[in-house]
Amino acid sequence: MDRKLQVLIVDDEENIREGLKYLIDWEANGYSVMGTAKDGEEAYYICRKKQVDIVLTDIRMPVMDGLMLSKKLYEEMCDIVVIIMSAYKDFSYAQEAIRYHVQSYILKPINGQKLCEELQQILEKSSFSEKRKSRREDLLKKIMFSQIIPEESADIFNRAEELGMELKNAMFQCMQIRWREKEPEMSRQEELLKNICIYMEKERQGYGCLDVRGNMVLLLVWPMESEQDSFHRLHLIKEEMNRNTSQNILVAVGQCVKNVWEICKSYRQTNNMYFLNLFQNGENTIFCEGLIAHRKKGVVAEIEKLFSFIYAGQLHEIEIFMDELGKKAINEHMSKVEMYGIGQQIFGRLEGSFDGSSYGEVMEELMNLQTISDMIPYIKRGCLKFAAGRKELSGTQQLIKNVEDFIEVHISDFQLNTKYIAQELGYNSAYMGRVFLNEKEISVKEFINNKRIGLICRRLTSSNEPIAELAYEAGYQDISTFYEIFKKIKKTTPREYREINGA
């Protein structure tokens, strides 16, 4: 076994509880007494909160007896093995116990040798600990690597609680470990993972597994109140890894997130850090939080300025901006993949203005370019062509175009609504809304939602990003509102839309 099986002793008599703790050499037999309980209710609470493999329980107790405890454990935590103890030679109790898959029925007074034999038989015929380990790994992989929607979180929390995983009222962070040189044999990797997982679970730091490529991935779980202490915790985990391996490892740490459905985002960030080869200058640990702060201050944050120049038809400003973008991209050591992402952001908004070329064709041409120095002029030409085609408008048409352009640039702002747009553009809110509705035959609010849902639909069919993340990036703070709007416009759910149209 990977670890000693955890035993909970349950009896309403303290002397019996204490006696059973010393009746046999639990450790020598592969077990560890993790605690005791005075009745079934207390035992049930412990089983929900901690990792318990075997419950050795009296049958007659106040508050909640052994049979009711067995029933609840069978219905809610079926991996836990129950052994019933009773001083009563009553067959009806044994029959009732069998209904709840109780593994053994032992008469008091308990004989040490008999108890050892019963435990050995259970150990030989049961793979419950391996089943629990497998179920935990399956759940962990679903949480970290798969698409999760907020509606599933209640089920995720319930399943985690059954398996002794503490995920409620917590923050989450993914950490991925790869080897700088030749990777050790899989058995060595699994040994490292096992030791780190034992340490993390003991210290209540989180859980770990291997991803589909065999890389070691940890899900760090921080209590909400210890956010400021996260770097200290990460340092302790790294120290434990260093003690367990002589290999030169590379550690990527994703963003800290506060929802289960955002965990896969943190995991994907760790993959991107390896993919973009961000380990430089001898660094062996990269934190996504630092990269994001850096990028927000750099190139990406200024893209919104470009759109204001484009929609205003300011060709000279576009020229200057793109030249500066090229310099910054080189100075900040941006990769071709990152520049392609910027191209996606720009051309995604200019879609429909490519003179017969589709968005996909334009992006394919961009990706085929060999260097950033080639990509910048290509993006610049597209921006200039769009801006040059802008027509001078006046009166009502100008108002409509100004509103549309403002929405285009600020589509992801949470505060985007009719009142906010009117305030920013200097219009009367009621007048602007009425003119827009008369000319477009759709309200400003509906126009915003159609734009956002359109953007999300393109991302749904071209990526496997979490639906909640896409909604958030498109400007929806409340996920339930997003689902309601999406279904109203598309007559289907986001998940069904993705399945039909295929990412």
Side-chain angles (χ1 to χ4, degrees), residues 40 46 57 62 77 94 127 250 287 316 342 352 370 372 380 431 476:
I46 292 172
T57 179
M77 291 164 265
S127 60
L250 299 175
F287 293 88
H316 180 64
I342 290 175
Q370 297 303 309
I372 288 179
K380 180 165 72 172
Y431 171 76
Y476 290 108

Side-chain angles (χ1 to χ4, degrees), residues 39-57:
D39 55 54
E41 185 173 81
E42 183 182 2
Y44 173 69
Y45 178 81
I46 292 172
C47 289
R48 285 178 59 87
K49 296 297 180 183
K50 297 183 179 180
Q51 184 169 305
V52 180
D53 297 303
I54 297 174
V55 171
L56 180 60
T57 179

Side-chain angles (χ1 to χ4, degrees), residues 234-478:
L234 287 165
H235 177 70
L236 294 177
I237 293 171
K238 276 201 64 186
E239 280 191 339
E240 186 67 19
M241 280 191 285
N242 291 335
R243 280 195 290 270
N244 279 273
T245 180
S246 59
Q247 300 285 335
N248 191 352
I249 57 177
L250 299 175
V251 181
V253 184
Q255 264 185 292
C256 188
V257 298
K258 297 184 179 180
N259 297 303
V260 167
W261 57 85
E262 291 185 309
I263 290 173
C264 51
K265 173 183 176 180
S266 184
Y267 165 69
R268 283 203 314 275
Q269 288 168 343
T270 64
N271 276 336
N272 290 339
M273 282 185 263
Y274 292 108
F275 179 70
L276 297 173
N277 193 25
L278 298 178
F279 294 88
Q280 299 172 0
N281 303 322
E283 289 288 337
N284 81 321
T285 303
I286 299 291
F287 293 88
C288 187
E289 299 282 3
L291 293 174
I292 288 171
H294 173 64
R295 291 299 183 209
K296 282 182 178 178
K297 293 174 184 176
V299 175
V300 176
E302 297 185 6
I303 293 298
E304 296 300 332
K305 291 182 184 178
L306 175 62
F307 285 111
S308 66
F309 299 148
I310 291 172
Y311 292 124
Q314 297 173 312
L315 304 185
H316 180 64
E317 284 76 4
I318 293 171
E319 290 265 10
I320 294 173
F321 180 91
M322 292 304 299
D323 291 342
E324 287 297 317
L325 175 62
K327 292 176 185 177
K328 287 184 178 181
I330 292 170
N331 291 337
E332 296 190 10
H333 305 290
M334 291 189 73
S335 69
K336 181 181 172 183
V337 173
E338 287 179 293
M339 184 53 65
Y340 181 78
I342 290 175
Q344 278 184 313
Q345 184 179 352
I346 294 171
F347 289 134
R349 292 198 192 179
L350 305 184
E351 189 170 357
S353 59
F354 306 130
D355 294 333
S357 297
S358 69
Y359 169 75
E361 289 169 336
V362 170
M363 294 311 300
E364 185 176 354
E365 284 184 27
L366 180 63
M367 195 57 173
N368 286 335
L369 298 174
Q370 297 303 309
T371 66
I372 288 179
S373 298
D374 296 325
M375 298 171 86
I376 289 288
Y378 182 87
I379 296 172
K380 180 165 72 172
R381 284 195 298 273
C383 294
L384 289 170
K385 180 178 282 191
F386 181 87
R390 304 284 287 175
K391 296 179 181 178
E392 289 297 324
L393 302 172
S394 61
T396 299
Q397 286 184 314
Q398 185 66 59
L399 180 148
I400 299 300
K401 205 58 179 170
N402 288 344
V403 173
E404 288 180 338
D405 290 349
F406 188 89
I407 291 171
E408 196 77 43
V409 173
H410 299 89
I411 192 67
S412 61
D413 288 1
F414 297 135
Q415 59 186 336
L416 189 64
N417 57 35
T418 305
K419 185 176 180 180
Y420 175 71
I421 296 169
Q423 180 181 325
E424 292 297 307
L425 295 179
Y427 295 125
N428 174 275
S429 178
Y431 171 76
M432 186 194 80
R434 186 167 60 253
V435 170
F436 194 93
L437 178 61
N438 290 340
E439 292 294 317
K440 302 289 290 186
E441 297 183 347
I442 186 174
S443 70
V444 174
K445 181 179 179 180
E446 290 172 315
F447 184 84
I448 293 170
N449 282 325
N450 284 339
K451 275 283 183 184
R452 284 174 169 171
I453 298 302
L455 288 170
I456 291 169
C457 284
R458 284 199 291 275
R459 299 276 294 279
L460 284 172
T461 57
S462 63
S463 77
N464 287 315
E465 295 175 86
I467 293 172
E469 183 180 328
L470 295 181
Y472 188 84
E473 290 177 356
Y476 290 108
Q477 260 186 315
D478 181 30

Side-chain angles (χ1 to χ4, degrees), residues 3 36 174 216 242 302 313 336 395 407 452 491 498 500:
R3 60 177 177 79
T36 63
C174 286
M216 182 172 158
N242 291 335
E302 297 185 6
K336 181 181 172 183
I407 291 171
R452 284 174 169 171
K491 313 302 180 189
R498 172 175 268 166
I500 293 169

